[in-house]
Amino acid sequence: MKHFPIFLAVAGRRIVLSGGGDAAMAKLRLLMKTEAHLTVIAAEVADDIRKWEAAGKLRVIPRAMAPGDALCAALFYAANEDNAEDARVSAIAHAEGALVNIVDNLADSQFITPAIVDRDPVTVAIGTEGAAPVLARAIKADLEERLPTSLGVLARIGKTFRHAVDVLPMGRKRRDFWSSFYFGAGPKAFAQHGATGVIPALETLLDERITARQTTGHVDLVGAGPGDPELLTLKARKALDKADVVIHDRLVTGDILELARREAIIIDAGKQGFGPAMQQSDIDALIVQHALDGHHVVRLKAGDPTVFGRLDEELAALDAHGIPYTIVPGITAASAAVAGIGQSLTQRGRNSSVRLITGHDTKGYADHDWTALARKGEVAAIYMGKKSARFIQGRLLMHGADPATPVTIVENVSRADQQIIATTLAELEPTLTQAKLQGPALTFYGLAPRAAQITAQSLKEFA
Ligand code: SAH
């Protein structure tokens, strides 16, 4: 982030703008929404600016800017649409202590003006650091459509009612009250009776909440997918939006945690591969405790919670305490990894079944039906297979698997640093040792990346 977004207190402060044409007017339209004192300095100004002056919205100094004009200004805009003049006036303003913005000159500006969605006092500022104004406009249009125009009025009336809501216990109950107001009772009352209907709606809602029974918590066991936030399900997004507490795995990425409700408590329950950082029983207890406190808990697990996720232990703990839960499936690493190498998990004529196997379980290296796996055409997705690669390779070869069987390792599936390594069963262990993988990796036994396969095929055809 090269620009840090903040909301600056400008009520009663000076904002000075140099320029009187179209660029000046565009900025003034935004600035006139504030309670700042606006001064426009320009030898010539457009008719609209004159009208605004007549209406008392700003003051015009009808001459070119001179030293002293930006004294005590919080912000200064150079909007002359003339590089030399903008540079001259900016130097003056800068020397006089104002923060300077030069219209259409990102490099020389100390701050930039975001695209704004105005539902005063609710204001959304959108910035792209000048990289993609089109994108900012599209986001703005989208938000304009989604945020009811009554939102500002509701927020203003809601603010006057805040102290009354103090009768509700802090935390979840109060938050639920406000979210029911802003997204339910409030807009409805406003649509039916206008602003006068809003206070009675608030009173009714508060009465209901005061007499409501204590709510019990709820747990969503949510699949976070392999890492790319766009591979989250809508249900996962909604669960994160509502979460009071998020308890997540080591493999859940920061990008995804960012999507949790801002007030949510985020707890890292990461367990390191072999050495436990937090015991499963501690995690179970943690989930139960937060749910019993009446919270909406999101247990966020990498991939799909039903695949090597120790889901059943957590469900048993919840059942034991009668805590209601919902399982939200996610995209497991194997599905996302085959998508990354352009292959199917099953293929007519090649393999009609696929195994999801783990390299190790809680007791150490995991044993499997090696004889079956060693047969031609078998495909297996090996989870947690980094440390156990030598063991798996040895077992398969011992049971007669072809050393030339393709093996593909996909590290950091779906993330920006995804890496695909194609090898063979014979070379698996040395390849892994050499690759020194840092991130999570999934090993496909019996699958080569599609591109590699095509190249091999065409080489054969040419031979
Ligand atoms: N529930 C998860 C699996 C948890 S077990 C799922 O459905 O994907 C942890 C193992 O999953 C890791 O050791 C690794 O083998 C695999 N894994 C999880 N996320 C991964 C990712 N983004 N890239 C590669 N492998 C991943």
Side-chain angles (χ1 to χ4, degrees):
M1 226 190 258
K2 291 204 177 66
H3 294 80
F4 184 64
I6 54 167
F7 288 93
L8 192 69
V10 291
R13 297 203 59 189
R14 289 189 80 205
I15 298 181
V16 177
L17 181 142
S18 164
D22 288 340
M25 283 196 291
K27 284 288 175 284
L28 288 170
R29 281 195 188 92
L30 288 178
L31 293 170
M32 283 187 302
K33 292 171 182 278
T34 71
E35 294 172 28
H37 296 305
L38 304 181
T39 305
V40 177
I41 306 173
E44 279 174 39
V45 297
D47 288 346
D48 278 353
I49 299 181
R50 285 254 166 268
K51 280 186 210 146
W52 294 332
E53 184 189 29
K57 294 185 173 169
L58 47 81
R59 196 163 71 94
V60 175
I61 301 180
R63 58 162 168 77
M65 175 148 169
D69 283 343
L71 281 174
C72 299
L75 300 178
F76 177 80
Y77 282 90
N80 294 288
E81 298 166 74
D82 169 337
N83 292 345
E85 180 62 358
D86 278 347
R88 184 187 73 85
V89 297
S90 309
I92 296 174
H94 190 63
E96 290 173 2
L99 277 176
V100 172
N101 172 274
I102 306 176
V103 174
D104 290 333
N105 181 348
L106 180 68
D108 296 328
S109 291
Q110 290 176 297
F111 70 95
I112 48 182
T113 315
I116 294 170
V117 180
D118 174 18
R119 298 285 184 274
D120 183 47
V122 178
T123 314
V124 185
I126 305 149
T128 62
E129 309 217 327
V134 177
L135 192 60
R137 273 197 291 278
I139 297 170
K140 176 175 150 82
D142 187 39
L143 288 172
E144 294 277 8
E145 221 167 84
R146 264 198 288 163
L147 299 179
T149 41
S150 63
L151 194 70
V153 180
L154 294 179
R156 231 168 291 136
I157 299 176
K159 200 170 169 186
T160 65
F161 206 74
R162 283 204 94 84
H163 64 278
V165 183
D166 287 352
V167 298
L168 294 177
M170 238 186 0
R172 191 196 160 111
K173 279 211 159 191
R174 248 184 241 180
R175 282 198 308 270
D176 284 354
F177 171 86
W178 286 115
S179 97
S180 303
F181 169 63
Y182 284 119
F183 299 104
K188 200 165 143 204
F190 187 83
Q192 283 172 353
H193 313 288
T196 49
V198 177
I199 287 280
L202 275 165
E203 282 164 349
T204 313
L205 189 65
L206 187 58
D207 280 346
E208 276 169 25
R209 294 302 156 103
I210 290 170
T211 49
R213 282 184 303 119
Q214 166 75 31
T215 48
T216 48
H218 183 94
V219 178
D220 286 325
L221 300 117
V222 177
D228 177 355
E230 296 203 5
L231 291 180
L232 278 174
T233 63
L234 268 180
K235 281 202 172 168
R237 291 275 332 232
K238 284 184 188 158
L240 283 169
D241 265 349
K242 283 192 295 185
D244 296 312
V245 181
V246 178
I247 303 176
H248 69 91
D249 277 355
R250 181 175 55 95
L251 289 180
V252 174
T253 55
D255 285 352
I256 287 175
L257 293 173
E258 285 267 314
L259 300 173
R261 203 164 58 84
R262 201 161 62 88
E263 295 81 7
I265 303 169
I266 312 273
I267 302 172
D268 180 354
K271 292 185 269 91
Q272 296 296 331
F274 277 112
M278 196 186 261
Q279 299 283 342
Q280 182 61 44
S281 52
D282 295 340
I283 299 175
D284 299 345
L286 199 64
I287 301 172
V288 165
Q289 175 213 317
H290 282 288
L292 290 179
D293 285 348
H295 289 135
H296 186 130
V297 181
V298 169
R299 171 65 175 125
L300 195 59
K301 289 161 166 289
D304 185 285
T306 72
V307 177
F308 303 127
R310 304 191 69 176
L311 176 68
D312 303 80
E313 288 154 81
E314 292 173 7
L315 295 184
L318 294 174
D319 281 337
H321 291 85
I323 298 165
Y325 59 77
T326 312
I327 301 171
V328 180
I331 295 184
T332 188
S335 298
V338 275
I341 62 171
Q343 286 286 15
S344 295
L345 280 174
T346 59
Q347 190 187 88
R348 210 179 259 205
R350 182 190 66 199
N351 64 314
S352 56
S353 70
V354 62
R355 290 164 201 253
L356 306 186
I357 69 174
T358 172
H360 70 81
D361 54 28
T362 46
K363 293 183 211 80
Y365 294 146
D367 243 320
H368 299 284
D369 183 352
W370 303 112
T371 317
L373 274 169
R375 277 186 217 122
K376 200 173 155 39
E378 283 295 317
V379 172
I382 308 170
Y383 289 71
M384 293 171 280
K386 275 198 286 188
K387 290 192 177 124
S388 49
R390 178 194 279 278
F391 171 77
I392 292 171
Q393 181 190 37
R395 287 295 140 119
L396 285 166
L397 291 174
M398 199 169 84
H399 286 80
D402 181 353
T405 308
V407 172
T408 307
I409 302 149
V410 193
E411 185 203 20
N412 295 320
V413 169
S414 83
R415 304 179 190 170
D417 50 358
Q418 170 170 292
Q419 196 188 171
I420 298 168
I421 303 169
T423 182
T424 59
L425 182 58
E427 293 300 314
L428 170 59
E429 205 271 333
T431 308
L432 261 179
T433 311
Q434 204 191 349
K436 294 203 183 69
L437 303 179
Q438 301 294 318
L442 195 90
T443 305
F444 278 111
Y445 165 72
L447 281 186
R450 185 173 202 82
Q453 204 180 34
I454 291 166
T455 319
Q457 220 163 24
S458 50
L459 283 178
K460 232 187 274 168
E461 277 161 20
F462 278 113

